[in-house]
Amino acid sequence: MVRCGIALLRKYGNFIDNLRLFTKGGSGGMGYPRLGGEGGKGGDVWVVAHKRMTLKQLKDKYPQKRFVAEGGANSRVNALKGSKGKDCEIPAPVGISVTDENGKIIGELNKEEDRILVAEGGLGGKLHTNFLPLKGQKRVIRLDLKVIADVGLVGFPNAGKSSLLSRVSHAKPVIADYAFTTLKPELGKIMYNDFKKISVADLPGLIEGAHLNKGMGHKFLKHLERTRQLLFVVDISGFQLSSKTQYRTAFETIILLTKELELYKEELKTKPALLVVNKMDLPDAQVKLHELMKQLQNPEDFLHLFEKHLIPEKAIEFQHIIPISAVTGEGIEELKNCIRKSLDEHDDQEKDAYHKEQLLNLQSSSSGSCRVSPSKHAITTSRKDVIQIQ
């Protein structure tokens, strides 16, 4: 068992989700003072999204991690206007956040062919620079991969996320029968009869203390920021990482997962959330499910079981609670329908918010008065199947 775990680490441990690069725009070309000629501008450095690129491929292809654009051409008698230097393009995966060395976001690559200017070339020599060229911009940048998916699976190791992903999609994640956690994001797509596709990400497993960067910590949590909906996956029998850690019931698992998200970034809890109760094929699963539902209906009666610092401060809403078995396939079709319904409703809400905002802007411009547009997060819906943990 131990050797198997080591082999898996060797196989997936080289997954890269961030990369630090040096970039420099090309210097401008020399001007020609006697004839008033202008040197060419230096080339620029761009980060460009490519569908089949990974950060590991980028690192392997450019081990020096230096990207310098070409300099502009000098002005000369037969070409008074020097030509621009050739741009340098850095191929990067879709789903990249680009920041400078101070952590300031320069931009994001959300779809193929998106491009971000990261280092500008220097101007060529001309009259107002005394015909002397300017140097290109130097910049150290960081490429940070944040998975883009419709649904992100949230759960402790061995909750059955990988098995669930393989059930709802054609993805082939690594699955183990012990407390093994995914070491790299796995993406799958749910295909519907009307050809609708919904992407699902099984992300590196969460552990207690992840917000403090324990385990895979921030590597896991940052990927959740780029998913539209959260799908909590819990083992109906509870969870225990090892003999040295405390056993947690399914209800305790939900509370702790919620707290980890809240401590990392409270905005994560504003995303639509569904709850999957997995491993319903196990003995006494129905009895434990009945107990869990009772706890979720009246959570305040059970919060005394937790230390104060482990209790979430804000409510979480589960739009649907679906008991399933990823092994037998029980509840999988219902789950797929609930995911589709939840995302469709969320899309409708965003469209309504956009139309209301546009209408208010039109009214504001026609009346000449200034009004504040409502945020899309201000929209509320009433659901009978929403369960709150307070």
Side-chain angles (χ1 to χ4, degrees):
M1 196 72 78
V2 173
R3 279 188 296 185
C4 180
I6 292 172
L8 289 166
L9 282 169
R10 285 177 183 156
K11 185 176 179 182
Y12 294 115
N14 58 1
F15 174 73
I16 296 173
D17 62 2
N18 64 80
L19 206 55
R20 189 172 176 269
L21 308 174
F22 172 82
T23 65
K24 183 180 181 296
S27 297
M30 289 288 293
Y32 203 123
R34 187 161 60 87
L35 299 177
E38 295 183 0
K41 180 182 179 297
D44 303 318
V45 182
W46 299 80
V47 180
V48 183
H50 292 262
K51 199 169 187 178
R52 289 180 173 82
M53 178 59 66
T54 67
L55 289 181
K56 185 178 186 308
Q57 288 172 337
L58 175 60
K59 183 182 177 183
D60 291 344
K61 190 173 182 180
Y62 304 98
Q64 300 301 318
K65 296 184 286 184
R66 289 176 59 87
F67 297 87
V68 181
E70 186 178 74
N74 295 333
S75 173
R76 55 188 190 276
V77 174
N78 59 348
L80 290 178
K81 175 67 176 176
S83 58
K84 181 181 182 297
K86 187 178 178 182
D87 289 348
C88 174
E89 293 191 354
I90 304 172
V94 174
I96 284 288
S97 174
V98 183
T99 57
D100 64 18
E101 56 187 332
N102 298 315
K104 183 180 178 182
I105 294 178
I106 302 170
E108 294 184 341
L109 303 175
N110 295 318
K111 61 182 186 301
E112 194 172 12
E113 301 301 329
D114 275 0
R115 52 200 296 119
I116 299 170
L117 177 63
V118 293
E120 198 168 358
L123 293 175
K126 54 184 68 178
L127 180 62
H128 77 266
T129 66
N130 202 24
F131 296 97
L132 296 174
L134 301 180
K135 291 183 178 180
Q137 179 185 15
K138 286 183 182 178
R139 209 175 202 181
V140 173
I141 64 168
R142 180 186 171 102
L143 306 184
D144 214 11
L145 176 64
K146 295 183 177 182
V147 171
I148 297 177
D150 295 310
V151 180
L153 304 185
V154 182
F156 286 137
N158 215 38
K161 300 191 306 302
S162 296
S163 299
L164 175 58
L165 183 65
S166 66
R167 268 286 180 183
V168 300
S169 73
H170 296 295
K172 301 295 181 186
V174 175
I175 299 169
D177 58 356
Y178 54 95
F180 164 74
T181 183
T182 302
L183 295 176
K184 69 171 186 174
E186 293 281 355
L187 288 174
K189 287 190 181 291
I190 304 176
M191 307 288 289
Y192 292 88
N193 293 334
D194 61 353
F195 305 107
K196 168 85 172 180
K197 294 180 183 178
I198 290 177
S199 56
V200 183
D202 174 20
L203 305 169
L206 202 56
I207 65 170
E208 289 182 50
H211 69 281
L212 298 173
N213 213 15
K214 290 182 181 178
M216 300 198 78
H218 294 172
K219 281 192 174 188
F220 167 87
L221 292 162
K222 72 176 183 182
H223 292 308
L224 285 180
E225 296 177 51
R226 297 289 288 282
T227 60
R228 297 171 59 206
Q229 177 174 286
L230 304 181
L231 187 64
F232 283 64
V233 184
V234 300
D235 184 335
I236 187 58
S237 298
F239 171 71
Q240 187 173 19
L241 183 63
S242 72
S243 57
K244 296 180 181 179
T245 59
Q246 190 173 342
Y247 165 77
R248 302 294 189 183
T249 66
F251 176 68
E252 290 172 331
T253 300
I254 294 166
I255 295 293
L256 294 172
L257 286 171
T258 304
K259 188 63 177 179
E260 287 297 337
L261 300 189
E262 180 181 274
L263 289 171
Y264 173 71
K265 186 166 285 189
E266 207 163 296
E267 290 84 351
L268 284 175
K269 292 174 60 183
T270 65
K271 293 179 182 288
L274 280 70
L275 173 63
V276 167
V277 184
N278 193 18
K279 305 190 182 181
M280 290 302 296
D281 54 296
L282 296 177
D284 300 326
Q286 288 296 335
V287 174
K288 290 174 180 175
L289 177 64
H290 178 74
E291 182 182 353
L292 175 61
M293 295 301 290
K294 186 170 66 174
Q295 290 169 322
L296 291 174
Q297 291 285 0
N298 302 287
E300 63 281 352
D301 295 342
F302 302 92
L303 293 181
H304 66 275
L305 301 171
F306 299 87
E307 296 176 45
K308 243 182 183 180
H309 69 278
L310 297 177
I311 301 173
E313 293 179 10
K314 301 182 84 172
I316 185 169
E317 296 183 349
F318 292 119
Q319 296 176 316
H320 303 280
I321 297 177
I322 311 102
I324 70 156
S325 168
V327 173
T328 67
E330 174 191 346
I332 294 298
E333 287 306 311
E334 183 187 353
L335 171 60
K336 288 158 82 169
N337 292 335
C338 287
I339 290 172
R340 172 76 180 269
K341 181 182 177 185
S342 177
L343 285 170
D344 286 348
E345 287 174 349
H346 185 61
D347 287 342
D348 290 342
Q349 290 175 19
E350 287 193 327
K351 285 176 187 175
D352 288 346
Y354 175 77
H355 291 148
K356 286 179 182 178
E357 187 173 356
Q358 293 295 100
L359 181 60
L360 280 175
N361 287 338
L362 285 172
Q363 291 172 345
S364 175
S365 59
S366 62
S367 64
S369 61
C370 181
R371 300 184 184 184
V372 178
S373 301
S375 164
K376 66 182 180 182
H377 298 304
I379 289 190
T380 58
T381 58
S382 60
R383 302 180 188 274
K384 292 181 180 179
D385 55 351
V386 167
I387 294 181
Q388 294 189 345
I389 298 177
Q390 299 175 336

